[in-house]
Amino acid sequence: TPGGDESNYVARLFNRTCDAKITKVERVESARLWHPYYGEMQSLSKETCSVPLTIEELWHGTDDANVEKIYSTGWDKAYAGQHAVAHGKGSYFAKDASYSYKRFAKPSSSSA
């Protein structure tokens, strides 16, 4: 929920490296995409039982038009490589929100 614990957590993570004004934090989750991801995590966890798996919190900068595409289809390789291709075609993520935001995010006039 906006303003809830999860929203506040995401805002704090973002503000660690980026000083852009946050107008809204919204959770967008696709059950169709979540279930295969979770299943793969369970499988990997069984295969590497001696090594604990960790989930990294990473940032991806894009424009508003791509958010719906990402939600609907996931990280579609057909769209990969439209912007930064320094290391080849792919979907790139950054540890610092400031890197993704300042270099690749294209906020609309109503959001950031």
Side-chain angles (χ1 to χ4, degrees):
T1 59
D5 288 343
E6 185 177 47
S7 294
N8 291 332
Y9 175 73
V10 171
R12 282 194 310 275
L13 283 178
F14 183 83
N15 287 136
R16 282 185 188 165
T17 64
C18 192
D19 60 0
K21 181 181 180 208
I22 298 172
T23 56
K24 178 170 81 170
V25 174
E26 183 177 356
R27 181 187 183 99
V28 178
E29 183 178 303
S30 168
R32 183 179 62 78
L33 298 172
W34 170 254
H35 293 295
Y37 164 79
Y38 185 75
E40 188 64 26
M41 287 295 292
Q42 294 296 336
S43 177
L44 286 171
S45 185
K46 288 176 186 171
E47 290 175 21
T48 62
C49 58
S50 63
V51 179
L53 295 178
T54 59
I55 297 173
E56 292 288 332
E57 291 156 332
L58 303 172
W59 303 94
H60 177 76
T62 191
D63 57 38
D64 287 352
N66 287 328
V67 172
E68 183 61 35
K69 292 175 192 170
I70 292 168
Y71 172 75
S72 298
T73 63
W75 301 103
D76 189 337
K77 293 177 185 171
Y79 298 112
Q82 290 184 349
H83 300 290
V85 291
H87 303 287
K89 279 184 100 174
S91 296
Y92 290 84
F93 299 86
K95 280 186 135 318
D96 292 342
S98 60
Y99 186 83
S100 291
Y101 179 80
K102 291 175 183 173
R103 297 197 53 175
F104 304 105
K106 306 282 187 280
S108 70
S109 59
S110 63
S111 67

